[in-house]
Amino acid sequence: MTYQTIEAQRLTPTLGAIIRGIDLTKTLSNAQVEDLHAAIADHQVIFFRDQRLDPDSLRRLGRHFGELQAHALKGMEGYPEVRRLHADASSKHVSGEEWHTDMSCIPVPPMGSILYMHTLPPLGGDTVFASMYSAYDTLSEHMKKYLEGLTATHDGKLAFGRFDPTGNYPVSTHPVIRTHPVTKKKVLFVNRGFTSHINDVPKDESDAILAYLFKHCENAYFQVRFCWEQHSVAFWDNRCTQHLAIWDYFPNVRSGYRVQIEGTAEAA
Ligand code: SIN
């Protein structure tokens, strides 16, 4: 885990690293992009401090890693691929208040997301990330065999219906166990935010298995908790992690921007 252009400081034995020695506000060189690809494969989620991004530079940064995906909820004026994340005293909900994998309700969920925060509450507002490699690896062999070959339905209404119950949201089916297209490692791919049921089994069986799997995915041993500072950035691999935004700062303001990078169809 050494890189040509950056330094990485691991935050837990499982996932997460702080990356230093790079200015994300500038156009990146091929060597820098290659190193960041390698770092994300190694650490699942990478963090940066003191990066003064704006919607333009965040979009430029995201495009180094692939096409950007317009979100199911509205993008920013003039920047359809950049979503403003904002919570204040008038918020009834915040994005990511439940454990989830971004947009698992679409046929090809994003490979990753980049989130930049410019305004933070005096305390709180951390984001917790969990490794779905660890979630898979620690299942019993019996459970792995049971889940192999099963698929589950992921329904956008579960996550977004609370913001707008009248919206039309995507619904997709994915294998419960997927293989990461880069590392070739197996991941457990169900999440509380979007997964409504396991297909082709009775409802009570699906409910019981999902309740077990959701709890299993949320094991503290699979996690890293990121404490934001103003102008921090988090870049997560959405194919092998879940995350949770801790909303413990109401009525204070927390605000930033996010882009999502298109995934590839072979992540099955
Ligand atoms: C999200 O993308 O789910 C939001 C994460 C955060 O606000 O920390």
Side-chain angles (χ1 to χ4, degrees), residues 32-106:
Q32 286 174 314
V33 173
E34 222 171 272
D35 274 350
L36 291 178
H37 268 300
I40 203 142
D42 291 339
H43 302 292
Q44 305 168 55
V45 54
I46 51 181
F47 306 107
F48 307 82
R49 300 289 191 197
D50 299 323
Q51 308 284 338
R52 286 169 187 264
L53 294 170
D54 57 21
D56 255 323
S57 49
L58 178 60
R59 184 165 66 178
R60 187 173 60 233
L61 171 64
R63 282 181 177 158
H64 282 297
F65 300 92
E67 292 294 315
L68 302 184
Q69 204 170 64
H71 196 274
L73 300 175
K74 211 168 151 272
M76 289 176 73
E77 195 66 44
Y79 300 90
E81 325 87 334
V82 181
R83 198 172 144 225
R84 179 170 175 256
L85 250 70
H86 179 86
D88 60 26
S90 69
S91 302
K92 303 276 181 287
H93 292 282
V94 300
S95 292
E97 67 193 25
E98 246 184 356
W99 278 104
H100 67 287
T101 296
D102 289 332
M103 295 302 293
S104 67
C105 59
I106 59 175

Side-chain angles (χ1 to χ4, degrees), residues 83 85 95-97 100 102 115 117 125-127 228 236 243-246 254 258:
R83 198 172 144 225
L85 250 70
S95 292
E97 67 193 25
H100 67 287
D102 289 332
L115 175 61
M117 280 291 158
D126 296 354
T127 310
W228 293 88
W236 58 91
H243 57 283
L244 172 73
I246 310 271
R254 179 178 184 269
R258 194 178 94 162

